[in-house]
Amino acid sequence: MRIKILHIQVLPKLSGVQKVSLEIFKNLNDEMYDKYILFSDSLDCGDRTECIKEFEEAGAKVLFSKHLKREIGISDFPALIELYKLCKREKFDIVHTNSTKPGIIGRIAAFVARVPLVVHTIHGLSFHKFVKFPIWQFYWACEMIASCFCHKIIIVNKYYLRYFKWFKNKTCTIYNGVDYSKFPTSNINGIREKHGKVNVLFVGRLDKPKNPLLLLEAARRLRITHPNIHFCLVGDGEYMERCRRFISDNKLHDYVSLEGWRTNVYNYYQQSDIFAVPSIYEAFGIMFLEAGYYKLPVCSTTTEGIPEVVINNLTGVLCEPNDVETFTKNLTLLIDNAELRKQMGENGHTRVTECFNSSIMVSEYLKIYKSGIRK
């Protein structure tokens, strides 16, 4: 019997969440599974063409929703109806939703349409300490209600388990993983301190969660004491213009480069010395695995799931989110100590390759798929 599976995402781009779905699809037997992936039809930063190509090469049929949006709005109601009709028409055996918006609308639509197995992976939560309580309460209520409309809830860290005690019978943790065999290895040890500079790399969306403006503030402070430092920010998003303005206002053009969205980021890892992302909330962060593979020490924060991936004082240095003083101090420690960078980089490489491999992740998801269909 062939199994018909649909993954629901929002953005048609190859960022962290989409890479997880892609990795799962690559490992689903084409003779057993009919694979579908649904994205929002709205335009966003990133390479949509490359994303479609990758999923099609993995044997998936790519669909687009006219009404599914990233932001909460009136379009959510027609999106719910659209997804319900899709599930009824296609008769999927498994619907697997990812992230907050598709996780709410998609779960309800699939469950009401009587899909045999509805799975949701929580790659991040909208209720956290940096939102006001009424908004926190609203997002929390939405998540709790949607959690009633699925059979299995996968969480990418253990930190979030505290919020799902009511659903502990259907909840488990599966850490994200990466297929490192696909990574270029021509220069795994990187080009360290090229031309006497220490290169600091940021990879991710330029948005509130990743907090790139704090990184730029650290750059502003460090340019005085460490003129040999250079910051490279790879990614785009709603904070792009604010970042450009900050760089211009503080005359940081010689110290900071904004690279925009890049599908292939491996080059940047190999040419860097430190990986720095001052997130204010972060469920996991696949970019930490990529940095670890290329032996980069990490400078980040203790928020949410990061300490489960980056071990403080072993594979990187962490501080409380929004603490620009300590973050800058931690960056200074790494900049000034090449031997510490090397040791942490080696530790990080060992940790990510042993603990966060795609084969481990995929095998856990396949167990859930198989057990759910048998029931």
Side-chain angles (χ1 to χ4, degrees):
M1 180 187 77
R2 294 184 67 84
I3 299 169
K4 207 169 187 179
I5 181 170
L6 170 70
H7 273 227
I8 302 178
Q9 300 272 1
V10 177
L11 303 180
K13 58 184 291 186
L14 288 174
S15 57
V17 180
Q18 292 82 355
K19 287 179 180 179
V20 171
S21 287
L22 180 61
E23 202 58 46
I24 294 172
F25 276 11
K26 285 179 178 179
N27 288 275
L28 292 180
N29 191 321
D30 289 336
E31 296 182 0
M32 292 179 58
Y33 288 89
D34 291 325
K35 296 173 276 190
Y36 294 77
I37 181 90
L38 178 97
F39 295 111
S40 168
D41 199 26
S42 59
L43 296 175
D44 193 84
C45 53
D47 192 335
R48 174 169 168 160
T49 303
E50 181 66 20
C51 180
I52 294 171
K53 177 176 174 287
E54 289 282 344
F55 276 98
E56 287 181 341
E57 288 180 352
K61 182 177 180 180
V62 181
L63 308 175
F64 289 94
S65 166
K66 295 179 181 178
H67 303 291
L68 183 63
K69 310 292 181 185
R70 195 175 185 212
E71 302 78 14
I72 293 174
I74 196 169
S75 64
D76 291 346
F77 296 103
L80 180 64
I81 296 171
E82 179 187 25
L83 294 180
Y84 168 79
K85 289 181 177 179
L86 175 66
C87 291
K88 289 292 284 186
R89 183 178 69 248
E90 296 295 337
K91 295 181 170 34
F92 294 110
D93 299 294
I94 303 171
V95 169
H96 187 160
T97 60
N98 298 268
S99 297
T100 303
K101 176 59 80 66
I104 294 172
I105 295 175
R107 272 184 285 180
I108 295 173
F111 196 85
V112 174
R114 297 191 177 184
V115 172
L117 178 62
V118 180
V119 180
H120 175 59
T121 297
I122 296 173
H123 294 279
L125 293 174
S126 296
F127 50 94
H128 49 78
K129 64 182 181 180
F130 294 103
V131 297
K132 295 179 180 179
F133 183 69
I135 299 175
W136 187 100
Q137 202 168 34
F138 171 75
Y139 286 137
W140 175 86
C142 288
E143 186 62 49
M144 294 305 107
I145 292 169
S147 293
C148 298
F149 291 84
C150 65
H151 304 99
K152 198 70 179 178
I153 301 169
I154 314 300
I155 302 176
V156 298
N157 61 46
K158 296 185 185 300
Y159 178 86
Y160 286 164
L161 290 172
R162 66 191 70 190
Y163 299 119
F164 294 87
K165 293 177 181 179
W166 293 349
F167 306 100
K168 60 182 180 181
N169 291 333
K170 64 167 76 170
T171 305
C172 70
T173 294
I174 298 178
Y175 287 125
N176 290 332
V178 172
D179 182 2
Y180 301 105
S181 69
K182 305 298 183 184
F183 286 21
T185 57
S186 59
N187 186 25
I188 193 173
N189 291 307
I191 303 170
R192 306 306 186 213
E193 298 185 45
K194 186 178 181 181
H195 304 309
K197 287 187 177 293
V198 177
N199 299 298
V200 179
L201 177 66
F202 169 104
V203 175
R205 278 185 65 83
L206 300 178
D207 57 9
K208 182 177 179 180
K210 296 292 190 288
N211 205 8
L213 292 173
L214 186 143
L215 181 64
L216 293 179
E217 172 58 23
R220 186 189 70 81
R221 298 181 181 200
L222 285 167
R223 69 172 181 176
I224 305 300
T225 56
H226 296 78
N228 65 323
I229 195 168
H230 185 268
F231 290 78
C232 178
L233 280 67
V234 180
D236 58 11
E238 50 266 37
Y239 274 31
M240 175 64 88
E241 286 306 316
R242 294 173 67 174
C243 290
R244 282 202 184 104
R245 201 176 314 122
F246 188 99
I247 292 168
S248 177
D249 291 346
N250 292 279
K251 297 179 174 58
L252 293 174
H253 296 97
D254 292 336
Y255 303 92
V256 180
S257 60
L258 287 178
E259 297 294 313
W261 172 263
R262 293 289 184 272
T263 300
N264 188 339
V265 297
Y266 304 120
N267 224 30
Y268 293 96
Y269 287 114
Q270 293 183 91
Q271 295 178 23
S272 300
D273 305 287
I274 300 167
F275 188 72
V277 179
S279 302
I280 61 171
Y281 46 100
E282 187 82 61
F284 186 87
I286 285 180
M287 67 278 186
F288 295 125
L289 305 188
E290 296 170 340
Y293 180 78
Y294 285 107
K295 301 183 179 181
L296 298 184
V298 173
C299 184
S300 190
T301 66
T302 57
T303 194
E304 299 187 338
I306 293 178
E308 297 176 44
V309 184
V310 180
I311 306 301
N312 193 28
N313 295 321
L314 181 68
T315 67
V317 281
L318 306 177
C319 66
E320 289 294 312
N322 274 336
D323 184 352
V324 66
E325 297 288 343
T326 307
F327 187 84
T328 305
K329 180 180 176 182
N330 286 345
L331 261 182
T332 303
L333 175 68
L334 293 175
I335 293 167
D336 291 341
N337 195 328
E339 189 56 40
L340 179 64
R341 294 201 304 269
K342 181 180 178 182
Q343 187 58 58
M344 286 187 169
E346 293 288 346
N347 294 342
H349 179 83
T350 300
R351 176 166 172 75
V352 302
T353 52
E354 290 182 355
C355 302
F356 305 110
N357 198 292
S358 64
S359 61
I360 300 173
M361 175 190 74
V362 171
S363 67
E364 292 300 311
Y365 276 111
L366 288 179
K367 288 177 187 176
I368 290 171
Y369 290 167
K370 291 174 183 177
S371 63
I373 290 299
R374 280 199 298 268
K375 292 178 182 178

